[in-house]
Amino acid sequence: MIARRLLVCCLAYSIISPLSFAQSSSVTTSSARFDGYSTQSSSQERDWEKKFQEGVVANNLRESMRRLSARPHHVGSPYDKDNAEWLLAKFKEYGFDARIEAFQVLFPTPRERIVELVSPTTFKAKLQEPALAVDPTSNQTGEQLPTYNAYSIDGDVTAPLVYVNYGMREDYEKLDRMGISVKGAIVIARYGNGWRGIKPKVAGEHGAIGCIIYSDPKDDGYFNGDDYPGGGWRPKDGAQRGSVMDTDYPGDPLTPGVGATADAKRLDIKDAKTITRVPVLPISYADALPLLSALKGPVAPEDWRGALAIAYHVGPGPAKVHLKVASNWDLKPVYDVIATLRGSEAPEQWILRGNHHDAWVNGAEDPLSGMVAVLEEARVLGELHKQGWNPKRTIVYCAWDGEEPGLLGSTEWVETHLSDLQKHAVAYINSDGNGRGYFRASGSHDLEHFINDVARDVTDPEKGISVWQRAHLYRISRANAEDRAELRKRADFRIGSLGDGSDYTAFLDHAGVSALNIGYGGEVDADQYHSIYDDFYWFTHFVDSDFSYGRALAQTGGTAVMRLADADLLPFDYAGQADTIERYEKELEKLLKDKQDEITERNLELKEGVFSATADPKKTSVPPPLETVPPFMNFAPLKNSIETLKQSADRYQAAWTKAWASGTLALSQPAMDSINLDLIRVQRTFLTERGLPERPWFRHQIYAPGAYTGYGAKPIAAVREYMDQKKWKQAEAEVPGVAKVIDDAATAINKAADDLEAGK
Ligand SMILES: [Zn+2]
């Protein structure tokens, strides 16, 4: 489900420039002694980590990828199960206590797919990615899932076509200005600029009866470089499969909130809210070209035009299209592989690490480039264990199934083990594929400082400097003046916030487990996302040919796991968390002000007659409606609670500094255990039982995906989502509820500070 190309580093995310600089947020500065370690335990840890990093062998990643990507291995396929069993055997061989946990999930696979132009001329879309002679697995046609969008409703529709650009909400506002309605039409949208599942959803909300999504060469084809197999970019017949499951909740559509075990109570398919309302299919640009060429009507706005050699028209018609989708709506098994290395001193505290193993087809990059790194971590940790390394905490390695259709394996697993996870889980560290280039991390900001420190201790394979240094300098090269100043001043680079693009979602958003998502990217000059060509041949020619960044990912992930597993006190940093939440609150205020300014200005222009004076009478243009200017919103409760949170973070930091002043912690083991439990609980306090107002499965009040953006995060979604819908009163009514959880978090942090000060 993850969009590799959207894993851009987090500076790009922020909707406003930072207004204030974080005080150097670190609990301690790195290098001499690790956070949460005594001088002595730190130097032992450093030795083990060094051994670990030296033990990671790039060629093991290559051979694992060769094995796991040898055949298509989507949910329900024979090779998916075969891979799960192979992974199970590997984890056991490495000394882990491993098992497979299976669930039964709804996973539709296509039975019939038609896209055809029926007038003014006729053309039948091929809907097939051809085998290529140089690419040895591209001819496994009998085992490949056809190009389709999973969880599209069945349908058979014929209607005029309308081109809707990326098919996001703002594109429909532009269509309104052009006087074009999609009511009763089939829309064609290009991939990109938001999660694909939003496209059929918004199309349906605007009255369309079908949706086609195509890959424009501007976004991932020849506009970017040579196409496959000469280069790495998507060729003319390449198409992007993918899930279009709606965003109410991830996981099995039939068992929201509970594990999809064999005997679970299931919804009727017709009652599952996450299946689309209109039929949808993905196509290549070779298939899209005759359709787009047959459109007339206004020429598309300049930023709507792709890289095909045509004049892009919007329609509607005269192109008329027939779209048919019919699927087998069966339950299929998913096989999660769960491997445990029991902790020696605090086995009831769990450090979890995972990547998914299922793919749309052969999936060399997505997901195996991440999976094979995670597997290699487990191998080397197993080696160290045999040499006498005994992690304090329990380590759990997870190879998830069913991520691609809708985070199925991880969500069902988290729902099944929810109460245990809430008691025991310290953190979950995810990867989902890997590339070449710069270190990237997103996550809950209590781990921001921690992952910065880990990145300081991993060497970049191309440059020989730390991956932290390289990522930091890269950000400077890309930032505007204000951001550059902050980057140079701040001890740590900021990590992005998590939406719902991968298997961390249930951990953070549903269970309140602190989470990270890590990987490398930015230098990959290729893209075959969710295509049959994302395979071993392509990956080893165009992505991370020598697996040196796969090795770096294993070094980073394994180091993070070890350092969390062995710390005397868990190295959570609440200053970074508070600083980030404060930024989110400021973004809300800025969003309100921008909306007020924008609507005030537009209303004025309407009164002045700007629109009628400038509209070209030879073109249809509809002026925007007069709108009520958004009212004042009272953010004071939120601001007050953030002040309280900052104070608690400062207090904790002071208690921490004092407690560690001598380089050792004068605390009994029970006292340390109890403080660690205090710390584990903090992230849980951000959850509410009721969840987000319109998406109750999402219980975290700070981190959530957007209902209309997908992939990306929409912080403080309870408030923000209503603001985006211009429901200002409802938005304001959510402010006190969010303030309350922030107060609760502050109380939990103060409790940890109390216990640390009391030294008991
Ligand atoms: Zn993936």
Side-chain angles (χ1 to χ4, degrees), residues 423-626:
K423 261 183 240 135
H424 302 298
V426 174
Y428 171 66
I429 304 173
N430 190 67
S431 290
D432 187 341
N434 195 48
R436 259 182 71 230
Y438 308 97
F439 178 61
R440 296 158 165 187
S442 299
S444 55
H445 291 76
D446 51 353
L447 292 172
E448 180 172 82
H449 176 63
F450 169 76
I451 197 63
N452 268 268
D453 271 357
V454 169
R456 288 181 178 100
D457 293 330
V458 177
T459 303
D460 184 279
E462 285 175 350
K463 301 290 175 178
I465 56 178
S466 78
V467 301
W468 185 91
Q469 182 74 353
R470 194 165 185 227
H472 171 69
L473 295 175
Y474 175 70
R475 284 163 184 240
I476 286 177
S477 79
R478 306 276 291 212
N480 62 30
E482 196 178 351
D483 288 342
R484 275 199 302 273
E486 196 210 31
L487 281 163
R488 289 183 173 127
K489 212 164 199 171
R490 206 172 189 269
D492 296 329
F493 60 66
R494 294 186 184 279
I495 61 172
S497 54
L498 293 172
D500 62 353
S502 190
D503 291 312
Y504 46 74
T505 305
F507 285 94
L508 181 60
D509 297 347
H510 193 64
V513 176
S514 296
L516 286 169
N517 189 51
I518 58 172
Y520 289 82
E523 290 183 323
V524 179
D525 190 13
D527 194 350
Q528 300 295 346
Y529 184 52
H530 294 179
S531 156
I532 64 168
Y533 310 122
D534 174 5
D535 59 18
F536 188 76
Y537 177 88
W538 172 77
F539 186 88
T540 51
H541 281 78
F542 298 106
V543 187
D544 184 24
S545 310
D546 60 1
F547 290 82
S548 59
Y549 277 96
R551 181 167 187 264
L553 177 60
Q555 290 173 326
T556 314
T559 300
V561 166
M562 292 176 79
R563 208 173 287 182
L564 282 175
D566 289 335
D568 298 326
L569 274 194
L570 291 166
F572 287 117
D573 170 38
Y574 300 111
Q577 177 91 71
D579 175 54
T580 302
I581 295 175
E582 183 173 41
R583 283 161 59 90
Y584 293 161
E585 189 279 330
K586 290 203 165 102
E587 286 175 4
L588 293 179
E589 289 188 66
K590 168 120 181 1
L591 179 69
L592 177 66
K593 169 130 196 342
D594 287 352
K595 276 286 157 201
Q596 288 169 331
D597 292 351
E598 177 194 318
I599 293 172
T600 305
E601 169 65 21
R602 200 163 56 224
N603 288 350
L604 180 62
E605 290 181 13
L606 281 162
K607 263 192 217 146
E608 290 169 335
V610 168
F611 292 96
S612 56
T614 56
D616 181 345
K618 294 191 174 162
K619 292 179 183 163
T620 308
S621 65
V622 180
L626 270 173

Side-chain angles (χ1 to χ4, degrees), residues 1-2 356 358 366-367 403-404 432-433 502 530:
M1 197 183 233
I2 192 94
H356 68 100
D358 70 298
D366 181 9
E403 190 273 353
E404 292 295 356
D432 187 341
S502 190
H530 294 179

Side-chain angles (χ1 to χ4, degrees), residues 688-704:
T688 61
E689 207 43 55
R690 131 187 200 268
L692 295 181
E694 293 176 10
R695 290 181 291 159
W697 186 91
F698 289 94
R699 304 199 300 176
H700 205 291
Q701 298 300 306
I702 305 301
Y703 304 113

